[in-house]
Amino acid sequence: ETLMLKWGTLHHNCVHIHSPVFLRNFSTDLWDSRVFAAVLVSHVPSKKAALDRIKMIVQGPPEDEYKQRLLNGKLLLKTLQDLQIPFLPPPEAIAQGNSRV
């Protein structure tokens, strides 16, 4: 698990050099889809424009944060579907931060 978190940290920080993170928790550190998008951009640079619409979550009311995480998840999953990735969790599972899905 630690290795996967370091791998995600590396990809995120290479793509988002002005907003680095250190991933510690699969649930809450991944639920905004930005790390997944950064990994994808690192491996499929042609998808950068589509994934640039995934936004950092601005702290606010929990329901507003959830809506933005859900929108980010939908954008990520649309890009993955375009790449014909066969197994995709529902965007709600990503936005809820369920590391068991």
Side-chain angles (χ1 to χ4, degrees), residues 7-8 10-12 14-15 35-48 51 80 83 85:
W7 181 73
L10 171 78
H11 282 290
H12 179 279
C14 286
V15 172
V35 172
F36 293 128
V39 170
L40 192 55
V41 167
S42 292
H43 293 282
V44 188
S46 63
K47 294 299 178 182
K48 184 176 183 334
L51 295 169
L80 292 169
L83 292 169
I85 304 296

Side-chain angles (χ1 to χ4, degrees), residues 5-77:
L5 290 169
K6 286 181 182 180
W7 181 73
T9 296
L10 171 78
H11 282 290
H12 179 279
N13 294 345
C14 286
V15 172
H16 302 287
I17 59 173
H18 298 295
S19 57
V21 298
F22 181 73
L23 303 178
R24 294 178 182 90
N25 181 300
F26 277 109
S27 295
T28 57
D29 289 343
L30 300 178
W31 67 359
D32 71 358
S33 299
R34 287 173 39 91
V35 172
F36 293 128
V39 170
L40 192 55
V41 167
S42 292
H43 293 282
V44 188
S46 63
K47 294 299 178 182
K48 184 176 183 334
L51 295 169
D52 276 347
R53 296 181 303 167
I54 292 180
K55 304 295 181 197
M56 184 183 306
I57 306 300
V58 177
Q59 203 167 19
E63 59 276 0
D64 291 347
E65 290 180 23
Y66 176 77
K67 286 178 188 174
Q68 184 59 53
R69 291 193 313 267
L70 186 59
L71 177 60
N72 284 354
K74 289 178 180 180
L75 291 169
L76 175 70
L77 292 175

